[in-house]
Amino acid sequence: DARVTQTPRHKVTEMGQEVTMRCQPILGHNTVFWYRQTMMQGLELLAYFRNRAPLDDSGMPKDRFSAEMPDATLATLKIQPSEPRDSAVYFCASGLGDRVFSGGQPQHFGDGTRLSIL
Amino acid sequence: ILNVEQSPQSLHVQEGDSTNFTCSFPSSNFYALHWYRWETAKSPEALFVMTLNGDEKKKGRISATLNTKEGYSYLYIKGSQPEDSATYLCAFAILGFGNEKLTFGTGTRLTIIP
């Protein structure tokens, strides 16, 4: 079965360090989402792309977070500088869709990156 | 702010019993309702996507219904098995540009007691 691949699976680093999380969407999927799982909020959307173009990053703290898709097979989420409150599990998901019909398509999730900032 | 509420938050069910839980969402500007199954230490897995009022979907012993006019969906599990233990998430998509953005509920955590 095709899967969304996320690396690394776990990351522990000190406050102030740069963190880069990577995601390889399912081949052929044109929409990529970044989510953060927190105890209080559940799954919250940080940003998403369609056909590599960023469509919405309103859920992301702009001063320290950035999301990019250098090509169709790679999405990255960077935090610089990292802070202890960024500790969470970050999920990438991919799906198929166009402007009209995307909400009716299921999203396929990776296994997540568990991030701990000390 | 869109609010998706799931109840109950957690549920313990004896193996073999049937169960159901609820997802409530805003009924205006409805586009789609998703259900995901999320096992511990794994990733959420799509169960159903429903878009039409009155939709019913079924996958094995699991089924779901949708009422868009009153803003709720039920998930049913018939004859619960230990492998059904998981958190069940629902998510709501609004009509219009950006309809791929999902707002997730916090889930119903189901534990099946052997």
Side-chain angles (χ1 to χ4, degrees), chain A residues 24-70:
Chain A
Q24 182 176 11
I26 291 173
L27 191 64
H29 281 187
N30 65 344
T31 313
V32 176
F33 305 84
W34 281 107
Y35 290 94
R36 176 167 61 184
Q37 179 201 4
T38 62
M39 293 296 291
M40 297 302 293
Q41 305 269 19
L43 273 177
E44 51 176 345
L45 180 67
L46 297 174
Y48 74 100
F49 297 77
R50 185 185 298 122
N51 298 324
R52 295 177 55 202
L55 288 193
D56 191 327
D57 62 2
S58 58
M60 213 163 63
K62 303 287 190 305
D63 55 339
R64 299 181 300 106
F65 284 59
S66 61
E68 294 179 348
M69 269 200 85

Side-chain angles (χ1 to χ4, degrees), chain B residues 4-76:
Chain B
V4 178
E5 293 187 2
Q6 292 189 245
S7 62
Q9 276 192 325
S10 66
L11 191 54
H12 288 75
V13 173
Q14 203 70 38
E15 182 178 350
D17 287 351
S18 297
T19 187
N20 65 84
F21 26 93
T22 308
C23 172
S24 300
F25 53 87
S27 55
S28 58
N29 296 319
F30 173 85
Y31 182 67
L33 194 283
H34 296 225
W35 280 101
Y36 290 83
R37 182 169 171 273
W38 193 356
E39 287 183 72
T40 303
K42 294 190 178 179
S43 54
E45 176 192 348
L47 285 173
F48 307 115
V49 180
M50 295 183 286
T51 56
L52 297 176
N53 185 43
D55 249 355
E56 285 190 36
K57 299 243 173 158
K58 190 174 178 184
K59 197 174 190 175
R61 294 177 293 96
I62 305 177
S63 60
T65 61
L66 179 67
N67 183 323
T68 61
K69 295 192 185 312
E70 294 181 44
Y72 64 84
S73 174
Y74 292 135
L75 191 81
Y76 300 90

Side-chain angles (χ1 to χ4, degrees), chain B residues 86-107:
Chain B
T87 296
Y88 292 83
L89 295 175
C90 72
F92 167 78
I94 59 168
L95 189 67
F97 181 73
N99 63 62
E100 57 274 346
K101 285 174 64 171
L102 296 181
T103 300
F104 281 85
T106 51

Side-chain angles (χ1 to χ4, degrees), chain A residues 1 12 16 26-27 35 49 63 68 71 94 109 113 118:
Chain A
D1 279 344
V12 180
I26 291 173
L27 191 64
Y35 290 94
F49 297 77
D63 55 339
E68 294 179 348
D71 63 58
S94 71
F109 285 78
T113 293
L118 305 176

